[in-house]
Amino acid sequence: ATNRVALVATHATGCSYLYPDPDEAESKELFRQQDGQHEAFYQFETVVRRRLRTVINMDLHSVATESLMAGGLAMALTYINRVVSSLGPADRLSPRLLAISSTGDSAAQYINYMNSFFTAQKLNIPVDCCMLGQDSGLLQQGCDITGGVYLKVEYIERLLEYLIWMFLPSVPVRKMLGAPPPIRVDYRAACFCHRQLVDIGYVCSVCLSIFCKFNPVCTTCHAVFQPPKIMPAMKKKKEAGKGKPAATAAVAQKSAK
């Protein structure tokens, strides 16, 4: 087979492989063709269903609401790197990464997101994103950094159409298709103190950590900074010509004497 696929589920309590099955070596289950379905597709469907039930049971009693999307991106990059490292000298692989999410931004994972995006950029792996119902500024940045495609799907019934049209073609083929115009990317950064997106903030000159308010000690690298000094008020300059009448009067009195 010339194509490979890996499916990673990101949830509130962690990240899990849905396919390939991490327990495949220990499992002795045989997958046979049913109802004319290809054996590979039947195996994929069976494994994903079983693993998905396990993931759902893990989150039944969890109180967390954020999905660990950044961790899932890191797991996917790790899997790609492992597969590429196992290839022979004559083998070639053009990996891609597609993130499908229905949750918004998670500023608490900002550093992990950026690490994953710049790692994908270094490995020349485009990151595509398909958002369901809402936007994500951080994933917009990731798609723009890695040269991927970002798309927000308003109607879930059109999801399959968008997946086939926008994300299935390879990167060279996409340039030939009539893709929608690129959207404006929100490049706001998240502060390290409150994990909120900020427009203007303070940046540590040592480790480049971002803070929404001045902090005398960097919480990341513990560098110490002096508080900003208050600029002294500037004295008003004397108006031009001021004082000339007095000098003229003094000269006039001297000449009279």
mmCIF file of all heavy atoms in Angstrom, residues 173-192:
data_model
loop_
_atom_site.group_PDB
_atom_site.id
_atom_site.type_symbol
_atom_site.label_atom_id
_atom_site.label_comp_id
_atom_site.label_asym_id
_atom_site.label_seq_id
_atom_site.Cartn_x
_atom_site.Cartn_y
_atom_site.Cartn_z
ATOM 1 N N VAL A 173 -1.717 19.670 -5.820
ATOM 2 C CA VAL A 173 -2.991 19.657 -6.536
ATOM 3 C C VAL A 173 -3.907 20.769 -6.044
ATOM 4 O O VAL A 173 -4.726 21.302 -6.797
ATOM 5 C CB VAL A 173 -3.661 18.276 -6.376
ATOM 6 C CG1 VAL A 173 -5.043 18.257 -7.026
ATOM 7 C CG2 VAL A 173 -2.782 17.192 -6.982
ATOM 8 N N ARG A 174 -3.780 21.161 -4.786
ATOM 9 C CA ARG A 174 -4.660 22.189 -4.238
ATOM 10 C C ARG A 174 -4.526 23.510 -4.974
ATOM 11 O O ARG A 174 -5.478 24.293 -5.043
ATOM 12 C CB ARG A 174 -4.349 22.396 -2.754
ATOM 13 C CG ARG A 174 -4.713 21.224 -1.878
ATOM 14 C CD ARG A 174 -4.274 21.469 -0.441
ATOM 15 N NE ARG A 174 -4.562 20.325 0.408
ATOM 16 C CZ ARG A 174 -4.228 20.240 1.682
ATOM 17 N NH1 ARG A 174 -3.559 21.250 2.255
ATOM 18 N NH2 ARG A 174 -4.518 19.170 2.390
ATOM 19 N N LYS A 175 -3.336 23.782 -5.498
ATOM 20 C CA LYS A 175 -3.131 25.046 -6.201
ATOM 21 C C LYS A 175 -3.947 25.114 -7.485
ATOM 22 O O LYS A 175 -4.195 26.213 -7.992
ATOM 23 C CB LYS A 175 -1.648 25.218 -6.520
ATOM 24 C CG LYS A 175 -0.758 25.222 -5.283
ATOM 25 C CD LYS A 175 0.708 25.345 -5.661
ATOM 26 C CE LYS A 175 1.603 25.310 -4.421
ATOM 27 N NZ LYS A 175 3.049 25.405 -4.772
ATOM 28 N N MET A 176 -4.362 23.970 -8.019
ATOM 29 C CA MET A 176 -5.147 23.945 -9.246
ATOM 30 C C MET A 176 -6.647 24.024 -8.988
ATOM 31 O O MET A 176 -7.423 24.195 -9.928
ATOM 32 C CB MET A 176 -4.848 22.659 -10.039
ATOM 33 C CG MET A 176 -3.377 22.421 -10.301
ATOM 34 S SD MET A 176 -3.078 20.852 -11.149
ATOM 35 C CE MET A 176 -1.295 20.763 -11.106
ATOM 36 N N LEU A 177 -7.056 23.883 -7.745
ATOM 37 C CA LEU A 177 -8.469 23.890 -7.409
ATOM 38 C C LEU A 177 -8.922 25.299 -7.021
ATOM 39 O O LEU A 177 -8.122 26.134 -6.599
ATOM 40 C CB LEU A 177 -8.748 22.926 -6.250
ATOM 41 C CG LEU A 177 -8.345 21.470 -6.484
ATOM 42 C CD1 LEU A 177 -8.604 20.648 -5.235
ATOM 43 C CD2 LEU A 177 -9.108 20.884 -7.660
ATOM 44 N N GLY A 178 -10.198 25.549 -7.176
ATOM 45 C CA GLY A 178 -10.754 26.849 -6.821
ATOM 46 C C GLY A 178 -11.056 26.923 -5.342
ATOM 47 O O GLY A 178 -12.219 26.843 -4.928
ATOM 48 N N ALA A 179 -10.022 27.054 -4.537
ATOM 49 C CA ALA A 179 -10.203 27.110 -3.083
ATOM 50 C C ALA A 179 -10.714 28.487 -2.670
ATOM 51 O O ALA A 179 -10.482 29.488 -3.366
ATOM 52 C CB ALA A 179 -8.878 26.806 -2.379
ATOM 53 N N PRO A 180 -11.428 28.575 -1.556
ATOM 54 C CA PRO A 180 -11.888 29.881 -1.070
ATOM 55 C C PRO A 180 -10.709 30.768 -0.707
ATOM 56 O O PRO A 180 -9.615 30.282 -0.405
ATOM 57 C CB PRO A 180 -12.735 29.524 0.165
ATOM 58 C CG PRO A 180 -12.277 28.175 0.575
ATOM 59 C CD PRO A 180 -11.867 27.481 -0.673
ATOM 60 N N PRO A 181 -10.886 32.092 -0.730
ATOM 61 C CA PRO A 181 -9.770 32.991 -0.416
ATOM 62 C C PRO A 181 -9.314 32.818 1.020
ATOM 63 O O PRO A 181 -10.106 32.473 1.902
ATOM 64 C CB PRO A 181 -10.366 34.390 -0.658
ATOM 65 C CG PRO A 181 -11.845 34.202 -0.504
ATOM 66 C CD PRO A 181 -12.128 32.823 -1.011
ATOM 67 N N PRO A 182 -8.034 33.044 1.282
ATOM 68 C CA PRO A 182 -7.532 32.894 2.661
ATOM 69 C C PRO A 182 -8.139 33.948 3.577
ATOM 70 O O PRO A 182 -8.403 35.078 3.177
ATOM 71 C CB PRO A 182 -6.015 33.081 2.511
ATOM 72 C CG PRO A 182 -5.848 33.854 1.240
ATOM 73 C CD PRO A 182 -6.972 33.423 0.345
ATOM 74 N N ILE A 183 -8.354 33.561 4.819
ATOM 75 C CA ILE A 183 -8.945 34.454 5.796
ATOM 76 C C ILE A 183 -7.847 35.193 6.552
ATOM 77 O O ILE A 183 -6.681 34.805 6.521
ATOM 78 C CB ILE A 183 -9.840 33.679 6.788
ATOM 79 C CG1 ILE A 183 -8.993 32.656 7.563
ATOM 80 C CG2 ILE A 183 -10.987 33.012 6.077
ATOM 81 C CD1 ILE A 183 -9.759 31.926 8.622
ATOM 82 N N ARG A 184 -8.243 36.258 7.225
ATOM 83 C CA ARG A 184 -7.283 37.032 8.015
ATOM 84 C C ARG A 184 -6.946 36.248 9.283
ATOM 85 O O ARG A 184 -7.819 35.829 10.030
ATOM 86 C CB ARG A 184 -7.872 38.394 8.375
ATOM 87 C CG ARG A 184 -6.918 39.284 9.158
ATOM 88 C CD ARG A 184 -7.566 40.617 9.475
ATOM 89 N NE ARG A 184 -6.665 41.457 10.254
ATOM 90 C CZ ARG A 184 -6.983 42.659 10.701
ATOM 91 N NH1 ARG A 184 -8.189 43.154 10.440
ATOM 92 N NH2 ARG A 184 -6.124 43.361 11.404
ATOM 93 N N VAL A 185 -5.652 36.058 9.518
ATOM 94 C CA VAL A 185 -5.197 35.243 10.636
ATOM 95 C C VAL A 185 -5.075 36.118 11.884
ATOM 96 O O VAL A 185 -4.519 37.218 11.836
ATOM 97 C CB VAL A 185 -3.847 34.573 10.322
ATOM 98 C CG1 VAL A 185 -3.393 33.704 11.481
ATOM 99 C CG2 VAL A 185 -3.960 33.747 9.053
ATOM 100 N N ASP A 186 -5.608 35.630 12.990
ATOM 101 C CA ASP A 186 -5.504 36.304 14.277
ATOM 102 C C ASP A 186 -4.192 35.883 14.933
ATOM 103 O O ASP A 186 -4.072 34.770 15.432
ATOM 104 C CB ASP A 186 -6.698 35.949 15.167
ATOM 105 C CG ASP A 186 -6.683 36.693 16.492
ATOM 106 O OD1 ASP A 186 -5.834 37.593 16.659
ATOM 107 O OD2 ASP A 186 -7.516 36.383 17.361
ATOM 108 N N TYR A 187 -3.205 36.777 14.938
ATOM 109 C CA TYR A 187 -1.886 36.450 15.461
ATOM 110 C C TYR A 187 -1.675 36.969 16.874
ATOM 111 O O TYR A 187 -0.539 37.213 17.282
ATOM 112 C CB TYR A 187 -0.794 37.000 14.537
ATOM 113 C CG TYR A 187 -0.293 35.967 13.563
ATOM 114 C CD1 TYR A 187 -0.638 36.016 12.222
ATOM 115 C CD2 TYR A 187 0.511 34.921 13.986
ATOM 116 C CE1 TYR A 187 -0.189 35.066 11.324
ATOM 117 C CE2 TYR A 187 0.959 33.961 13.106
ATOM 118 C CZ TYR A 187 0.620 34.035 11.771
ATOM 119 O OH TYR A 187 1.061 33.078 10.887
ATOM 120 N N ARG A 188 -2.729 37.113 17.633
ATOM 121 C CA ARG A 188 -2.558 37.494 19.033
ATOM 122 C C ARG A 188 -1.923 36.346 19.823
ATOM 123 O O ARG A 188 -2.193 35.184 19.570
ATOM 124 C CB ARG A 188 -3.895 37.875 19.658
ATOM 125 C CG ARG A 188 -4.489 39.172 19.150
ATOM 126 C CD ARG A 188 -5.761 39.497 19.886
ATOM 127 N NE ARG A 188 -6.772 38.448 19.692
ATOM 128 C CZ ARG A 188 -7.903 38.367 20.383
ATOM 129 N NH1 ARG A 188 -8.161 39.263 21.328
ATOM 130 N NH2 ARG A 188 -8.758 37.399 20.144
ATOM 131 N N ALA A 189 -1.092 36.719 20.782
ATOM 132 C CA ALA A 189 -0.421 35.733 21.627
ATOM 133 C C ALA A 189 -1.124 35.639 22.973
ATOM 134 O O ALA A 189 -1.838 36.557 23.385
ATOM 135 C CB ALA A 189 1.051 36.110 21.831
ATOM 136 N N ALA A 190 -0.937 34.527 23.647
ATOM 137 C CA ALA A 190 -1.534 34.313 24.970
ATOM 138 C C ALA A 190 -0.503 34.645 26.040
ATOM 139 O O ALA A 190 0.659 34.230 25.959
ATOM 140 C CB ALA A 190 -2.007 32.869 25.122
ATOM 141 N N CYS A 191 -0.938 35.401 27.048
ATOM 142 C CA CYS A 191 -0.032 35.748 28.138
ATOM 143 C C CYS A 191 0.246 34.506 28.995
ATOM 144 O O CYS A 191 -0.585 33.616 29.103
ATOM 145 C CB CYS A 191 -0.614 36.876 28.991
ATOM 146 S SG CYS A 191 -2.117 36.430 29.895
ATOM 147 N N PHE A 192 1.430 34.490 29.604
ATOM 148 C CA PHE A 192 1.845 33.341 30.390
ATOM 149 C C PHE A 192 1.306 33.384 31.818
ATOM 150 O O PHE A 192 1.452 32.412 32.550
ATOM 151 C CB PHE A 192 3.372 33.260 30.439
ATOM 152 C CG PHE A 192 3.997 32.780 29.164
ATOM 153 C CD1 PHE A 192 3.474 33.137 27.936
ATOM 154 C CD2 PHE A 192 5.118 31.973 29.182
ATOM 155 C CE1 PHE A 192 4.037 32.703 26.757
ATOM 156 C CE2 PHE A 192 5.697 31.529 28.012
ATOM 157 C CZ PHE A 192 5.156 31.906 26.793
#
